[in-house]
Amino acid sequence: NIYCGETFSSYISINNFSAFELANLVSRAELHNQVTNQKYVLLDNNQTPTASLAPQQSCDFIIKHTLKESGNFMYGNNYVFN
């Protein structure tokens, strides 16, 4: 459980286990309050995507957000690459 006033934090590690290089990797993470229907974008590198991710490489992010309201939250990640 996490309560109002506490900080939600998450470590995101994107790993390329394929044999191919990934290009223009866009990462997005959101926290959605299901009671108030409020969305918080915690990570969005759409303007400056990760240029490339070679096979067996990874890129890491740490995100944090202080909860200022109570409710049930849903956390989601989305990744797009060429």
Side-chain angles (χ1 to χ4, degrees):
N1 291 332
I2 187 167
Y3 300 98
C4 186
E6 292 185 329
T7 300
F8 169 82
S9 59
S10 179
Y11 175 79
I12 300 170
S13 182
I14 303 168
N15 301 285
N16 182 3
F17 292 115
S18 76
F20 306 99
E21 183 172 333
L22 305 179
N24 300 316
L25 175 64
V26 175
S27 308
R28 184 176 174 95
E30 293 181 348
L31 195 60
H32 181 232
N33 186 325
Q34 295 177 310
V35 175
T36 63
N37 209 27
Q38 181 72 32
K39 269 188 192 174
Y40 301 98
V41 177
L42 308 178
L43 170 67
D44 187 355
N45 71 340
N46 190 42
Q47 299 299 317
T48 56
T50 304
S52 66
L53 194 60
Q56 307 308 313
Q57 277 193 331
S58 65
C59 63
D60 304 315
F61 303 95
I62 296 175
I63 56 174
K64 295 181 180 186
H65 177 76
T66 301
L67 298 178
K68 297 178 182 159
E69 57 196 26
S70 60
N72 297 324
F73 288 86
M74 182 181 296
Y75 172 70
N77 295 319
N78 186 28
Y79 307 102
V80 179
F81 56 87
N82 296 334

